[in-house]
Amino acid sequence: MRVLITGSTGFIGSAAHRALVDAGHIPIVVKRPGSALGDHDIAVDLTDLDGLRKAASGVDAVIHAAASDNPDFWPVSHAAALAMIKGLPDGGRFVAHGGTIVFGPTTHDPANPTTLNPPPPLARRAALDQAILDAGNGPVHTHVVFGSLVYGGPGAVIPQAMVGAARASGAVLYVGDGSQIWSTVHVDDFGRLLVAAIATADAASGPIFAADRSISMADFARKIGVALNLPVRAATDEEAQQSYGIFAAAFGMSQHFSGDVARDTFGWTPMANADALRGAIRSLAEGPTK
């Protein structure tokens, strides 16, 4: 397939790009105007909605992996996503990636929710996800692949946040009693699921959870503690807010999701072994301290 991809140099986007190439598809990479272009690259800004519609009209599918820490980016991404969905030919497939926090807390049992319940800081992110899912009621199939604790290199938000906070405070801090359960996934397995989502033509539109092995936040903190040779303990409310900011509340709740749909409907088989998370944490711990 010819697949338009945004954010191909980012943490998730680069994994999706690798997975596209490995599966024999042709990535059509969206780059900013003025960038050096390869044979299959296209220069179009995410604010150029007409350009995005035109680009999408010439491909079979879109992987929208562009992301930013700036909250002002989400309305831009929202408009860009809808433009590309509108541009795709009938029967085209569109997939984006998201974070599970927009669903709110889960229990310790793996969940498979369909209703978003975002904390206020993520309201615009949730609006983007919902708009993409709603657009799947038309002639284009749409999916958002949601990950919880994604690891596997620089750009892994939660592992980096906890490693950075541990270095700054001299201890690895978990929120609450640490019993919260989170679903983990290696970034390369996440990228493979994004590609599987566009390659499964007859799958109904909807959310997909990239959920591999699960871990408690206390156990995750202990793995970081071993890698950094630092003590591990519960954070006070003040420490949690100071260390993790808007993530403090999220770290205090379970984010445990079911990967059954990913496996049964999309043929997803995670390839990361049981030691992959430990190795990824060790790589972060051995990396730059600043």
Side-chain angles (χ1 to χ4, degrees):
M1 295 189 296
R2 289 170 54 83
V3 182
L4 191 70
I5 179 170
T6 69
S8 66
T9 60
F11 179 54
I12 302 295
S14 60
H17 189 277
R18 291 192 295 272
L20 282 171
V21 173
D22 288 347
H25 302 303
I26 302 172
I28 312 298
V29 177
V30 173
K31 291 188 174 181
R32 293 185 179 91
S35 302
L37 300 179
D39 292 342
H40 297 294
D41 298 344
I42 184 170
V44 58
D45 194 89
L46 288 182
T47 60
D48 180 1
L49 304 185
D50 287 338
L52 292 172
R53 278 191 289 269
K54 182 178 179 181
S57 70
V59 300
D60 303 295
V62 173
I63 294 179
H64 184 36
S68 171
D69 293 331
N70 185 346
D72 292 337
F73 172 76
W74 297 120
V76 173
S77 183
H78 188 146
L82 294 184
M84 289 184 284
I85 291 170
K86 186 175 181 180
L88 276 166
D90 289 359
R93 277 90 81 191
F94 182 97
V95 64
H97 71 86
T100 59
I101 295 172
V102 296
F103 288 95
T106 68
T107 66
H108 283 196
D109 296 324
N112 190 21
T114 57
T115 302
L116 302 184
N117 181 30
L122 293 180
R124 286 194 287 185
R125 171 72 225 213
L128 165 62
D129 295 337
Q130 190 63 61
I132 292 170
L133 294 173
D134 289 346
N137 295 322
V140 171
H141 293 284
T142 65
H143 303 282
V144 180
V145 178
F146 292 96
S148 300
L149 202 167
V150 186
Y151 67 93
V157 175
I158 293 173
Q160 286 193 159
M162 292 190 70
V163 167
R167 284 178 170 147
S169 66
V172 187
L173 305 174
Y174 56 83
V175 178
D177 64 7
S179 67
Q180 309 90 298
I181 303 296
W182 281 57
S183 298
T184 72
V185 63
H186 191 281
V187 66
D188 285 336
D189 286 325
F190 198 118
R192 281 188 279 270
L193 182 52
L194 288 166
V195 173
I198 60 164
T200 308
D202 58 349
S205 299
I208 310 168
F209 297 101
D212 189 12
R213 294 175 174 84
S214 58
I215 192 170
S216 74
M217 289 303 282
D219 285 344
F220 182 54
R222 282 190 279 270
K223 289 182 183 294
I224 295 174
V226 170
L228 293 175
N229 194 27
L230 288 175
V232 178
R233 62 176 175 82
T236 65
D237 291 345
E238 182 179 354
E239 287 174 328
Q241 190 60 45
Q242 183 177 0
S243 296
Y244 302 129
I246 64 170
F247 286 107
F251 286 2
M253 61 189 187
S254 288
Q255 289 286 280
H256 193 195
F257 294 84
S258 171
D260 288 350
V261 170
R263 291 175 171 84
D264 297 343
T265 302
F266 297 93
W268 182 59
T269 303
M271 298 177 67
N273 62 31
D275 292 328
L277 178 58
R278 182 173 58 189
I281 292 171
R282 186 169 58 247
S283 294
L284 284 177
E286 294 171 350
T289 58
K290 294 183 180 179

